[in-house]
Amino acid sequence: MRDVAVVGFAQRQMKELDGSPTCLEILVPILADLYEQTGWTKSDIDFWCSGSSDYLAGRSFSFVSAVDAIGTLPPVMESHVEMDAAWAMYEAWVKIQTGEVDTAVVYGFGKSSAGILRRILALQLDPYTAQPLWPDTVSLAGIQAREGLEKGLWDEAAMASVVARSMSDAASNEWAIRRGATSVEDVLAQPLYADPLRRWDCAPVSDGAAAIVIAAGDKALQARQRPAWITGFEHRIEPIALNARSLVESSSTAAAGTAAGTAGVDLAELHAPFSHQELILRSSLGLADDVRVNPSGGALTANPMFSAGLNRIGEAARAIWAGDSDKALAHATSGPVLQQNLVCTMEGR
Amino acid sequence: MKVEFDYTRSLGSVLSQFMSALKQHSILGGVLADGRVVVPPPEYDPVTHAAVTELVPVSDFGVVQSWSWVAEPVAQQPLEKPFAFAQILLDGADAPLLHAVAVDSPADISTGMRVRVRWAEQPTGTIRDIAWFEPAGDAVTEGSASMEFGAPEVTGMTSPVRLAYDYAASPEETKFFRGLAEGKIYGQRCPKCEKVYVPPRGACPVDGVPTTDEVELPDRGTLTTYCVVNVPFQGQTIPIPYVSAYVLLDGADIAFLHLILDIDAADVRMGMRVEAVWKPREEWTTSLDNIKYFRPTGEPDADFDTYKHHL
């Protein structure tokens, strides 16, 4: 295996992007940030890979317009996944492993506010017996949360403490949409919205984009003194039928975590768009109590579709660059109620 | 902006039987290798991966296993007023079915509550034949409606998908469309390579930098390449043959597609000079449709060298 590291990361997210669903307006400055961080130019990047969805943009081949942000004359080597960009990064990492390329920029973007996000996401369900009912994301998460509550796997206070910690930690994250010092009591004082969920239990609808630079070996050291070296990178998927798997545990996260290796992790950025999902992820990964979880505030404070998972990798890498973590774990999820999960572990050397 | 499409899907043998039974007010579960009965029936056993072949009727009564309140229903959901989505374990089944439960408030539903199917008035052979579930009270099931097994009646389904988007134009597009409403055409110049793009696109696709300088362009230019449309198609409004062509406005570096009229299709040629024919001013909107078509100006044809890089 080639040693590959994360050496650049930039993000932008907001409640409502005043711009087009191609997100060009924010992708251009994000890429400019990355060139500044690495000291590289477009010609230093061997491979480009993005994650986005036409269902969010409401137009076909929307990712093709976003390619304008790169500048593609002379032509570049490029690919795309209709998943969170964390999976685009997996593709780029595999591409580097083949030896064909040494560097890659991975980006994700989406303007969730253009439509009704929780409704549009019903289109990722089984098209025969589930999607025709238009089960929205929040309702499915509510069913999942109640099952855990009533089975005694977690309680309201545990969910509220995830919310309170996330919003308090996000106070120092300039890109968080929902932030500020918050106590468990503050959370529990909020009315129920999608009983058993409060609005704060659900990630805010977020627009945004993010990008990461990964590079192999010496190239990585050229761009950054203390790169975040990838030590494990795995993803797993569970059945689409909601009654074919347990919703209150995440066997795919557990399998990806075991394969990637979680020993020695001191920090974890978990992509949990609902408070109780963080509890599921923590227990599926078997994280020790002293592991710092989501110091950035996590997806509960900003969840831009198709980049929120990549943001977890970027935030974890940043902690390593800064020396705040020696080994960090980043997790991304995609699909309904934690159907697909990815784990990426990184370390500083 | 509205995006609509009726997806038509063919059904395999398992779902054909399931949907056919629903149409007759009966619910079928699939029997898995371990003997569990699952509704809706999967086509393949999730553990052994063998095709599921045995289907058995289950009750139209069941028990709520978990639920979530839908305070603000969205379009096309089973109920327009607030309701609950629930996992419902039908009597005779071993895995829950996701569906709606019609109750007035979250206080009227609880885990363990017995519910029964409310069948849709018009059977369609889809999961929507179950309109929703409602509290069963003390009622007991009368058993599934008797049904004829045999060649399934339903072998396909239609899923209407209707999506609505608030499509925000980018700042550059806004300027462009507002300009059209005034009879003006605005493009933008890349500060690096100095190429002029129309319509403006936010970033130069060559350099990846924002296109910042605004340029007003004339409504005349050169036809770079074209095709003669001879094939009739549904919704066609212009009599064939007619010409679709790329028009390179004077001062622009990107040609755009428009219609060429007021000339016999056989006389159209590369390099021909053309100008816009606008709709009457009172019909102008923020749309490229304000230009009805382009027509020949009568000027001598442009030299090939002037547009050879724009083909």
mmCIF file of all heavy atoms in Angstrom, chain B residues 246-292:
data_model
loop_
_atom_site.group_PDB
_atom_site.id
_atom_site.type_symbol
_atom_site.label_atom_id
_atom_site.label_comp_id
_atom_site.label_asym_id
_atom_site.label_seq_id
_atom_site.Cartn_x
_atom_site.Cartn_y
_atom_site.Cartn_z
ATOM 1 N N TYR B 246 -25.281 27.613 -34.396
ATOM 2 C CA TYR B 246 -24.482 28.296 -33.382
ATOM 3 C C TYR B 246 -24.183 29.699 -33.886
ATOM 4 O O TYR B 246 -23.699 29.873 -35.008
ATOM 5 C CB TYR B 246 -23.193 27.533 -33.095
ATOM 6 C CG TYR B 246 -23.411 26.474 -32.046
ATOM 7 C CD1 TYR B 246 -23.585 25.143 -32.373
ATOM 8 C CD2 TYR B 246 -23.489 26.841 -30.695
ATOM 9 C CE1 TYR B 246 -23.822 24.187 -31.400
ATOM 10 C CE2 TYR B 246 -23.733 25.899 -29.715
ATOM 11 C CZ TYR B 246 -23.899 24.578 -30.065
ATOM 12 O OH TYR B 246 -24.143 23.659 -29.101
ATOM 13 N N VAL B 247 -24.521 30.669 -33.042
ATOM 14 C CA VAL B 247 -24.300 32.062 -33.399
ATOM 15 C C VAL B 247 -23.219 32.624 -32.484
ATOM 16 O O VAL B 247 -23.340 32.559 -31.255
ATOM 17 C CB VAL B 247 -25.598 32.891 -33.234
ATOM 18 C CG1 VAL B 247 -25.322 34.369 -33.484
ATOM 19 C CG2 VAL B 247 -26.678 32.367 -34.178
ATOM 20 N N LEU B 248 -22.154 33.154 -33.095
ATOM 21 C CA LEU B 248 -21.079 33.778 -32.329
ATOM 22 C C LEU B 248 -21.277 35.288 -32.402
ATOM 23 O O LEU B 248 -21.051 35.904 -33.449
ATOM 24 C CB LEU B 248 -19.724 33.386 -32.933
ATOM 25 C CG LEU B 248 -18.491 33.937 -32.224
ATOM 26 C CD1 LEU B 248 -18.313 33.283 -30.854
ATOM 27 C CD2 LEU B 248 -17.242 33.714 -33.079
ATOM 28 N N LEU B 249 -21.758 35.871 -31.317
ATOM 29 C CA LEU B 249 -21.990 37.313 -31.322
ATOM 30 C C LEU B 249 -20.652 38.038 -31.497
ATOM 31 O O LEU B 249 -19.618 37.563 -31.006
ATOM 32 C CB LEU B 249 -22.657 37.749 -30.014
ATOM 33 C CG LEU B 249 -24.063 37.185 -29.754
ATOM 34 C CD1 LEU B 249 -24.606 37.678 -28.416
ATOM 35 C CD2 LEU B 249 -25.032 37.548 -30.885
ATOM 36 N N ASP B 250 -20.676 39.177 -32.135
ATOM 37 C CA ASP B 250 -19.435 39.943 -32.343
ATOM 38 C C ASP B 250 -18.856 40.324 -30.974
ATOM 39 O O ASP B 250 -19.558 40.918 -30.145
ATOM 40 C CB ASP B 250 -19.717 41.210 -33.165
ATOM 41 C CG ASP B 250 -20.139 40.856 -34.596
ATOM 42 O OD1 ASP B 250 -19.869 39.706 -35.018
ATOM 43 O OD2 ASP B 250 -20.758 41.711 -35.266
ATOM 44 N N GLY B 251 -17.631 39.940 -30.717
ATOM 45 C CA GLY B 251 -16.992 40.262 -29.434
ATOM 46 C C GLY B 251 -17.063 39.128 -28.431
ATOM 47 O O GLY B 251 -16.460 39.215 -27.362
ATOM 48 N N ALA B 252 -17.816 38.073 -28.742
ATOM 49 C CA ALA B 252 -17.921 36.946 -27.811
ATOM 50 C C ALA B 252 -16.968 35.832 -28.219
ATOM 51 O O ALA B 252 -16.515 35.779 -29.373
ATOM 52 C CB ALA B 252 -19.348 36.422 -27.774
ATOM 53 N N ASP B 253 -16.634 34.939 -27.268
ATOM 54 C CA ASP B 253 -15.758 33.813 -27.574
ATOM 55 C C ASP B 253 -16.479 32.476 -27.495
ATOM 56 O O ASP B 253 -15.871 31.423 -27.667
ATOM 57 C CB ASP B 253 -14.559 33.820 -26.626
ATOM 58 C CG ASP B 253 -13.621 34.955 -26.970
ATOM 59 O OD1 ASP B 253 -12.933 34.848 -27.997
ATOM 60 O OD2 ASP B 253 -13.616 35.981 -26.241
ATOM 61 N N ILE B 254 -17.776 32.535 -27.144
ATOM 62 C CA ILE B 254 -18.555 31.299 -27.106
ATOM 63 C C ILE B 254 -19.816 31.507 -27.933
ATOM 64 O O ILE B 254 -20.494 32.541 -27.779
ATOM 65 C CB ILE B 254 -18.908 30.930 -25.653
ATOM 66 C CG1 ILE B 254 -17.683 30.281 -24.993
ATOM 67 C CG2 ILE B 254 -20.113 30.031 -25.584
ATOM 68 C CD1 ILE B 254 -17.960 29.066 -24.184
ATOM 69 N N ALA B 255 -20.090 30.568 -28.815
ATOM 70 C CA ALA B 255 -21.302 30.660 -29.630
ATOM 71 C C ALA B 255 -22.447 30.009 -28.872
ATOM 72 O O ALA B 255 -22.215 29.151 -28.029
ATOM 73 C CB ALA B 255 -21.073 29.954 -30.953
ATOM 74 N N PHE B 256 -23.669 30.469 -29.120
ATOM 75 C CA PHE B 256 -24.791 29.760 -28.498
ATOM 76 C C PHE B 256 -25.802 29.349 -29.560
ATOM 77 O O PHE B 256 -25.822 29.870 -30.678
ATOM 78 C CB PHE B 256 -25.435 30.564 -27.355
ATOM 79 C CG PHE B 256 -26.001 31.900 -27.750
ATOM 80 C CD1 PHE B 256 -27.271 32.010 -28.297
ATOM 81 C CD2 PHE B 256 -25.254 33.058 -27.551
ATOM 82 C CE1 PHE B 256 -27.795 33.233 -28.649
ATOM 83 C CE2 PHE B 256 -25.773 34.292 -27.908
ATOM 84 C CZ PHE B 256 -27.049 34.387 -28.457
ATOM 85 N N LEU B 257 -26.633 28.394 -29.189
ATOM 86 C CA LEU B 257 -27.558 27.771 -30.137
ATOM 87 C C LEU B 257 -28.803 28.624 -30.279
ATOM 88 O O LEU B 257 -29.394 29.055 -29.283
ATOM 89 C CB LEU B 257 -27.923 26.378 -29.595
ATOM 90 C CG LEU B 257 -28.549 25.394 -30.582
ATOM 91 C CD1 LEU B 257 -27.593 25.089 -31.724
ATOM 92 C CD2 LEU B 257 -28.908 24.109 -29.838
ATOM 93 N N HIS B 258 -29.213 28.891 -31.512
ATOM 94 C CA HIS B 258 -30.481 29.584 -31.728
ATOM 95 C C HIS B 258 -31.051 29.169 -33.085
ATOM 96 O O HIS B 258 -30.452 28.372 -33.815
ATOM 97 C CB HIS B 258 -30.305 31.103 -31.603
ATOM 98 C CG HIS B 258 -31.460 31.766 -30.906
ATOM 99 N ND1 HIS B 258 -32.698 31.825 -31.451
ATOM 100 C CD2 HIS B 258 -31.549 32.366 -29.691
ATOM 101 C CE1 HIS B 258 -33.530 32.447 -30.604
ATOM 102 N NE2 HIS B 258 -32.848 32.788 -29.517
ATOM 103 N N LEU B 259 -32.206 29.730 -33.382
ATOM 104 C CA LEU B 259 -32.947 29.371 -34.582
ATOM 105 C C LEU B 259 -32.624 30.367 -35.705
ATOM 106 O O LEU B 259 -32.460 31.554 -35.439
ATOM 107 C CB LEU B 259 -34.434 29.450 -34.213
ATOM 108 C CG LEU B 259 -35.486 29.132 -35.248
ATOM 109 C CD1 LEU B 259 -35.404 27.663 -35.631
ATOM 110 C CD2 LEU B 259 -36.871 29.452 -34.660
ATOM 111 N N ILE B 260 -32.535 29.852 -36.948
ATOM 112 C CA ILE B 260 -32.299 30.743 -38.097
ATOM 113 C C ILE B 260 -33.523 30.679 -39.009
ATOM 114 O O ILE B 260 -33.909 29.599 -39.459
ATOM 115 C CB ILE B 260 -31.059 30.283 -38.907
ATOM 116 C CG1 ILE B 260 -29.825 30.154 -38.010
ATOM 117 C CG2 ILE B 260 -30.801 31.244 -40.078
ATOM 118 C CD1 ILE B 260 -29.334 31.432 -37.390
ATOM 119 N N LEU B 261 -34.143 31.821 -39.259
ATOM 120 C CA LEU B 261 -35.294 31.852 -40.167
ATOM 121 C C LEU B 261 -35.108 32.983 -41.184
ATOM 122 O O LEU B 261 -34.061 33.620 -41.239
ATOM 123 C CB LEU B 261 -36.601 32.037 -39.371
ATOM 124 C CG LEU B 261 -37.053 30.859 -38.476
ATOM 125 C CD1 LEU B 261 -38.322 31.217 -37.729
ATOM 126 C CD2 LEU B 261 -37.256 29.581 -39.281
ATOM 127 N N ASP B 262 -36.172 33.227 -41.953
ATOM 128 C CA ASP B 262 -36.151 34.237 -43.027
ATOM 129 C C ASP B 262 -35.138 33.898 -44.121
ATOM 130 O O ASP B 262 -34.613 34.785 -44.794
ATOM 131 C CB ASP B 262 -35.824 35.653 -42.483
ATOM 132 C CG ASP B 262 -36.989 36.238 -41.698
ATOM 133 O OD1 ASP B 262 -38.056 35.582 -41.657
ATOM 134 O OD2 ASP B 262 -36.840 37.338 -41.136
ATOM 135 N N ILE B 263 -34.828 32.620 -44.265
ATOM 136 C CA ILE B 263 -33.928 32.184 -45.330
ATOM 137 C C ILE B 263 -34.226 30.721 -45.621
ATOM 138 O O ILE B 263 -34.539 29.963 -44.693
ATOM 139 C CB ILE B 263 -32.434 32.384 -44.941
ATOM 140 C CG1 ILE B 263 -31.524 31.917 -46.071
ATOM 141 C CG2 ILE B 263 -32.094 31.690 -43.635
ATOM 142 C CD1 ILE B 263 -30.050 32.248 -45.871
ATOM 143 N N ASP B 264 -34.138 30.360 -46.866
ATOM 144 C CA ASP B 264 -34.338 28.964 -47.235
ATOM 145 C C ASP B 264 -33.217 28.123 -46.616
ATOM 146 O O ASP B 264 -32.049 28.509 -46.659
ATOM 147 C CB ASP B 264 -34.290 28.851 -48.779
ATOM 148 C CG ASP B 264 -34.854 27.529 -49.252
ATOM 149 O OD1 ASP B 264 -34.180 26.490 -49.012
ATOM 150 O OD2 ASP B 264 -35.955 27.537 -49.825
ATOM 151 N N ALA B 265 -33.612 27.006 -46.002
ATOM 152 C CA ALA B 265 -32.613 26.170 -45.316
ATOM 153 C C ALA B 265 -31.446 25.818 -46.237
ATOM 154 O O ALA B 265 -30.297 25.739 -45.797
ATOM 155 C CB ALA B 265 -33.268 24.898 -44.783
ATOM 156 N N ALA B 266 -31.725 25.656 -47.500
ATOM 157 C CA ALA B 266 -30.670 25.249 -48.438
ATOM 158 C C ALA B 266 -29.634 26.358 -48.646
ATOM 159 O O ALA B 266 -28.514 26.098 -49.088
ATOM 160 C CB ALA B 266 -31.295 24.866 -49.779
ATOM 161 N N ASP B 267 -29.992 27.612 -48.309
ATOM 162 C CA ASP B 267 -29.065 28.728 -48.555
ATOM 163 C C ASP B 267 -28.219 29.084 -47.331
ATOM 164 O O ASP B 267 -27.361 29.967 -47.400
ATOM 165 C CB ASP B 267 -29.851 29.973 -48.990
ATOM 166 C CG ASP B 267 -30.527 29.751 -50.339
ATOM 167 O OD1 ASP B 267 -29.972 28.963 -51.141
ATOM 168 O OD2 ASP B 267 -31.610 30.331 -50.564
ATOM 169 N N VAL B 268 -28.505 28.427 -46.192
ATOM 170 C CA VAL B 268 -27.724 28.731 -44.982
ATOM 171 C C VAL B 268 -26.312 28.194 -45.152
ATOM 172 O O VAL B 268 -26.106 27.139 -45.740
ATOM 173 C CB VAL B 268 -28.401 28.086 -43.740
ATOM 174 C CG1 VAL B 268 -27.517 28.239 -42.509
ATOM 175 C CG2 VAL B 268 -29.766 28.732 -43.501
ATOM 176 N N ARG B 269 -25.313 28.937 -44.649
ATOM 177 C CA ARG B 269 -23.921 28.496 -44.783
ATOM 178 C C ARG B 269 -23.083 28.982 -43.609
ATOM 179 O O ARG B 269 -23.465 29.953 -42.933
ATOM 180 C CB ARG B 269 -23.314 29.003 -46.103
ATOM 181 C CG ARG B 269 -23.301 30.514 -46.184
ATOM 182 C CD ARG B 269 -23.653 31.027 -47.575
ATOM 183 N NE ARG B 269 -23.738 32.492 -47.514
ATOM 184 C CZ ARG B 269 -24.883 33.157 -47.458
ATOM 185 N NH1 ARG B 269 -26.040 32.530 -47.491
ATOM 186 N NH2 ARG B 269 -24.880 34.476 -47.370
ATOM 187 N N MET B 270 -21.988 28.299 -43.359
ATOM 188 C CA MET B 270 -21.060 28.713 -42.311
ATOM 189 C C MET B 270 -20.501 30.077 -42.670
ATOM 190 O O MET B 270 -20.204 30.349 -43.824
ATOM 191 C CB MET B 270 -19.920 27.690 -42.167
ATOM 192 C CG MET B 270 -20.381 26.381 -41.547
ATOM 193 S SD MET B 270 -19.135 25.076 -41.628
ATOM 194 C CE MET B 270 -17.929 25.656 -40.440
ATOM 195 N N GLY B 271 -20.349 30.933 -41.633
ATOM 196 C CA GLY B 271 -19.782 32.254 -41.868
ATOM 197 C C GLY B 271 -20.826 33.304 -42.197
ATOM 198 O O GLY B 271 -20.501 34.493 -42.303
ATOM 199 N N MET B 272 -22.080 32.865 -42.368
ATOM 200 C CA MET B 272 -23.140 33.818 -42.716
ATOM 201 C C MET B 272 -23.326 34.815 -41.573
ATOM 202 O O MET B 272 -23.302 34.454 -40.409
ATOM 203 C CB MET B 272 -24.439 33.036 -42.947
ATOM 204 C CG MET B 272 -25.551 33.859 -43.553
ATOM 205 S SD MET B 272 -26.935 32.776 -44.026
ATOM 206 C CE MET B 272 -27.710 32.549 -42.446
ATOM 207 N N ARG B 273 -23.486 36.087 -41.904
ATOM 208 C CA ARG B 273 -23.707 37.128 -40.879
ATOM 209 C C ARG B 273 -25.193 37.156 -40.532
ATOM 210 O O ARG B 273 -26.062 37.128 -41.401
ATOM 211 C CB ARG B 273 -23.252 38.491 -41.414
ATOM 212 C CG ARG B 273 -21.756 38.558 -41.727
ATOM 213 C CD ARG B 273 -20.907 38.682 -40.481
ATOM 214 N NE ARG B 273 -21.257 39.916 -39.773
ATOM 215 C CZ ARG B 273 -21.015 40.129 -38.488
ATOM 216 N NH1 ARG B 273 -20.455 39.182 -37.752
ATOM 217 N NH2 ARG B 273 -21.345 41.279 -37.938
ATOM 218 N N VAL B 274 -25.493 37.181 -39.223
ATOM 219 C CA VAL B 274 -26.899 37.140 -38.793
ATOM 220 C C VAL B 274 -27.171 38.185 -37.717
ATOM 221 O O VAL B 274 -26.247 38.681 -37.050
ATOM 222 C CB VAL B 274 -27.272 35.743 -38.241
ATOM 223 C CG1 VAL B 274 -27.271 34.687 -39.333
ATOM 224 C CG2 VAL B 274 -26.342 35.343 -37.096
ATOM 225 N N GLU B 275 -28.459 38.520 -37.553
ATOM 226 C CA GLU B 275 -28.851 39.458 -36.490
ATOM 227 C C GLU B 275 -30.128 38.952 -35.827
ATOM 228 O O GLU B 275 -30.904 38.194 -36.425
ATOM 229 C CB GLU B 275 -29.076 40.862 -37.075
ATOM 230 C CG GLU B 275 -30.239 40.906 -38.069
ATOM 231 C CD GLU B 275 -30.390 42.265 -38.741
ATOM 232 O OE1 GLU B 275 -29.609 43.177 -38.422
ATOM 233 O OE2 GLU B 275 -31.296 42.393 -39.586
ATOM 234 N N ALA B 276 -30.319 39.410 -34.584
ATOM 235 C CA ALA B 276 -31.468 38.952 -33.799
ATOM 236 C C ALA B 276 -32.747 39.613 -34.270
ATOM 237 O O ALA B 276 -32.754 40.788 -34.628
ATOM 238 C CB ALA B 276 -31.249 39.268 -32.324
ATOM 239 N N VAL B 277 -33.835 38.834 -34.261
ATOM 240 C CA VAL B 277 -35.171 39.390 -34.475
ATOM 241 C C VAL B 277 -35.894 39.260 -33.140
ATOM 242 O O VAL B 277 -36.132 38.157 -32.647
ATOM 243 C CB VAL B 277 -35.924 38.617 -35.575
ATOM 244 C CG1 VAL B 277 -37.351 39.168 -35.723
ATOM 245 C CG2 VAL B 277 -35.168 38.709 -36.884
ATOM 246 N N TRP B 278 -36.130 40.413 -32.525
ATOM 247 C CA TRP B 278 -36.724 40.423 -31.187
ATOM 248 C C TRP B 278 -38.240 40.375 -31.267
ATOM 249 O O TRP B 278 -38.834 40.843 -32.234
ATOM 250 C CB TRP B 278 -36.297 41.678 -30.409
ATOM 251 C CG TRP B 278 -34.823 41.741 -30.127
ATOM 252 C CD1 TRP B 278 -33.827 42.031 -31.010
ATOM 253 C CD2 TRP B 278 -34.180 41.491 -28.871
ATOM 254 N NE1 TRP B 278 -32.595 41.975 -30.399
ATOM 255 C CE2 TRP B 278 -32.786 41.651 -29.071
ATOM 256 C CE3 TRP B 278 -34.644 41.139 -27.595
ATOM 257 C CZ2 TRP B 278 -31.854 41.487 -28.052
ATOM 258 C CZ3 TRP B 278 -33.714 40.992 -26.581
ATOM 259 C CH2 TRP B 278 -32.340 41.154 -26.802
ATOM 260 N N LYS B 279 -38.832 39.823 -30.224
ATOM 261 C CA LYS B 279 -40.287 39.915 -30.080
ATOM 262 C C LYS B 279 -40.649 41.381 -29.868
ATOM 263 O O LYS B 279 -39.785 42.183 -29.511
ATOM 264 C CB LYS B 279 -40.711 39.157 -28.810
ATOM 265 C CG LYS B 279 -40.783 37.662 -28.948
ATOM 266 C CD LYS B 279 -41.264 37.104 -27.617
ATOM 267 C CE LYS B 279 -41.355 35.605 -27.654
ATOM 268 N NZ LYS B 279 -41.617 35.061 -26.313
ATOM 269 N N PRO B 280 -41.933 41.748 -30.044
ATOM 270 C CA PRO B 280 -42.328 43.119 -29.714
ATOM 271 C C PRO B 280 -41.961 43.431 -28.259
ATOM 272 O O PRO B 280 -42.100 42.571 -27.382
ATOM 273 C CB PRO B 280 -43.849 43.103 -29.884
ATOM 274 C CG PRO B 280 -44.156 41.904 -30.719
ATOM 275 C CD PRO B 280 -43.052 40.922 -30.502
ATOM 276 N N ARG B 281 -41.493 44.645 -28.007
ATOM 277 C CA ARG B 281 -40.981 45.049 -26.699
ATOM 278 C C ARG B 281 -41.940 44.713 -25.552
ATOM 279 O O ARG B 281 -41.514 44.296 -24.478
ATOM 280 C CB ARG B 281 -40.693 46.560 -26.724
ATOM 281 C CG ARG B 281 -40.217 47.124 -25.406
ATOM 282 C CD ARG B 281 -39.899 48.601 -25.540
ATOM 283 N NE ARG B 281 -38.579 48.820 -26.116
ATOM 284 C CZ ARG B 281 -37.464 48.944 -25.379
ATOM 285 N NH1 ARG B 281 -37.521 48.865 -24.074
ATOM 286 N NH2 ARG B 281 -36.294 49.158 -25.948
ATOM 287 N N GLU B 282 -43.261 44.865 -25.783
ATOM 288 C CA GLU B 282 -44.203 44.635 -24.686
ATOM 289 C C GLU B 282 -44.269 43.158 -24.275
ATOM 290 O O GLU B 282 -44.790 42.826 -23.231
ATOM 291 C CB GLU B 282 -45.602 45.177 -25.035
ATOM 292 C CG GLU B 282 -46.236 44.615 -26.298
ATOM 293 C CD GLU B 282 -45.792 45.362 -27.570
ATOM 294 O OE1 GLU B 282 -44.800 46.131 -27.524
ATOM 295 O OE2 GLU B 282 -46.448 45.184 -28.632
ATOM 296 N N GLU B 283 -43.696 42.263 -25.092
ATOM 297 C CA GLU B 283 -43.717 40.835 -24.735
ATOM 298 C C GLU B 283 -42.414 40.371 -24.076
ATOM 299 O O GLU B 283 -42.253 39.211 -23.746
ATOM 300 C CB GLU B 283 -43.954 39.984 -25.999
ATOM 301 C CG GLU B 283 -45.348 40.126 -26.553
ATOM 302 C CD GLU B 283 -45.501 39.392 -27.897
ATOM 303 O OE1 GLU B 283 -44.807 38.374 -28.113
ATOM 304 O OE2 GLU B 283 -46.298 39.868 -28.720
ATOM 305 N N TRP B 284 -41.465 41.313 -23.884
ATOM 306 C CA TRP B 284 -40.168 40.903 -23.330
ATOM 307 C C TRP B 284 -40.307 40.453 -21.880
ATOM 308 O O TRP B 284 -41.010 41.080 -21.069
ATOM 309 C CB TRP B 284 -39.171 42.074 -23.386
ATOM 310 C CG TRP B 284 -38.672 42.348 -24.783
ATOM 311 C CD1 TRP B 284 -38.938 41.613 -25.894
ATOM 312 C CD2 TRP B 284 -37.848 43.436 -25.179
ATOM 313 N NE1 TRP B 284 -38.320 42.173 -26.994
ATOM 314 C CE2 TRP B 284 -37.635 43.296 -26.575
ATOM 315 C CE3 TRP B 284 -37.246 44.505 -24.519
ATOM 316 C CZ2 TRP B 284 -36.864 44.193 -27.299
ATOM 317 C CZ3 TRP B 284 -36.479 45.403 -25.240
ATOM 318 C CH2 TRP B 284 -36.287 45.238 -26.626
ATOM 319 N N THR B 285 -39.620 39.369 -21.562
ATOM 320 C CA THR B 285 -39.512 38.895 -20.173
ATOM 321 C C THR B 285 -38.031 38.651 -19.909
ATOM 322 O O THR B 285 -37.191 38.953 -20.751
ATOM 323 C CB THR B 285 -40.279 37.571 -19.971
ATOM 324 O OG1 THR B 285 -39.677 36.572 -20.811
ATOM 325 C CG2 THR B 285 -41.745 37.713 -20.321
ATOM 326 N N THR B 286 -37.718 38.093 -18.755
ATOM 327 C CA THR B 286 -36.311 37.788 -18.455
ATOM 328 C C THR B 286 -35.956 36.430 -19.077
ATOM 329 O O THR B 286 -35.632 35.478 -18.375
ATOM 330 C CB THR B 286 -36.077 37.747 -16.937
ATOM 331 O OG1 THR B 286 -37.078 36.890 -16.372
ATOM 332 C CG2 THR B 286 -36.168 39.112 -16.306
ATOM 333 N N SER B 287 -36.049 36.363 -20.408
ATOM 334 C CA SER B 287 -35.834 35.070 -21.074
ATOM 335 C C SER B 287 -35.152 35.260 -22.413
ATOM 336 O O SER B 287 -35.345 36.273 -23.096
ATOM 337 C CB SER B 287 -37.191 34.381 -21.277
ATOM 338 O OG SER B 287 -37.065 33.354 -22.238
ATOM 339 N N LEU B 288 -34.371 34.254 -22.804
ATOM 340 C CA LEU B 288 -33.717 34.281 -24.113
ATOM 341 C C LEU B 288 -34.766 34.163 -25.234
ATOM 342 O O LEU B 288 -34.479 34.458 -26.393
ATOM 343 C CB LEU B 288 -32.684 33.140 -24.197
ATOM 344 C CG LEU B 288 -31.647 33.192 -25.327
ATOM 345 C CD1 LEU B 288 -30.917 34.524 -25.373
ATOM 346 C CD2 LEU B 288 -30.653 32.056 -25.184
ATOM 347 N N ASP B 289 -35.993 33.767 -24.863
ATOM 348 C CA ASP B 289 -37.075 33.703 -25.852
ATOM 349 C C ASP B 289 -37.448 35.088 -26.393
ATOM 350 O O ASP B 289 -38.189 35.194 -27.378
ATOM 351 C CB ASP B 289 -38.343 33.083 -25.239
ATOM 352 C CG ASP B 289 -38.163 31.605 -24.962
ATOM 353 O OD1 ASP B 289 -37.197 31.029 -25.503
ATOM 354 O OD2 ASP B 289 -38.972 31.041 -24.206
ATOM 355 N N ASN B 290 -36.968 36.154 -25.740
ATOM 356 C CA ASN B 290 -37.232 37.504 -26.265
ATOM 357 C C ASN B 290 -36.698 37.636 -27.687
ATOM 358 O O ASN B 290 -37.210 38.413 -28.485
ATOM 359 C CB ASN B 290 -36.555 38.579 -25.392
ATOM 360 C CG ASN B 290 -37.190 38.667 -24.023
ATOM 361 O OD1 ASN B 290 -38.165 37.970 -23.749
ATOM 362 N ND2 ASN B 290 -36.647 39.517 -23.168
ATOM 363 N N ILE B 291 -35.633 36.879 -27.974
ATOM 364 C CA ILE B 291 -35.135 36.823 -29.351
ATOM 365 C C ILE B 291 -35.885 35.687 -30.033
ATOM 366 O O ILE B 291 -35.766 34.528 -29.648
ATOM 367 C CB ILE B 291 -33.616 36.569 -29.386
ATOM 368 C CG1 ILE B 291 -32.887 37.740 -28.721
ATOM 369 C CG2 ILE B 291 -33.136 36.369 -30.821
ATOM 370 C CD1 ILE B 291 -31.377 37.539 -28.604
ATOM 371 N N LYS B 292 -36.705 36.038 -31.024
ATOM 372 C CA LYS B 292 -37.507 35.002 -31.707
ATOM 373 C C LYS B 292 -36.614 34.088 -32.533
ATOM 374 O O LYS B 292 -36.757 32.883 -32.532
ATOM 375 C CB LYS B 292 -38.544 35.656 -32.628
ATOM 376 C CG LYS B 292 -39.835 36.020 -31.891
ATOM 377 C CD LYS B 292 -40.636 37.090 -32.621
ATOM 378 C CE LYS B 292 -41.102 36.646 -33.990
ATOM 379 N NZ LYS B 292 -41.902 37.727 -34.648
#
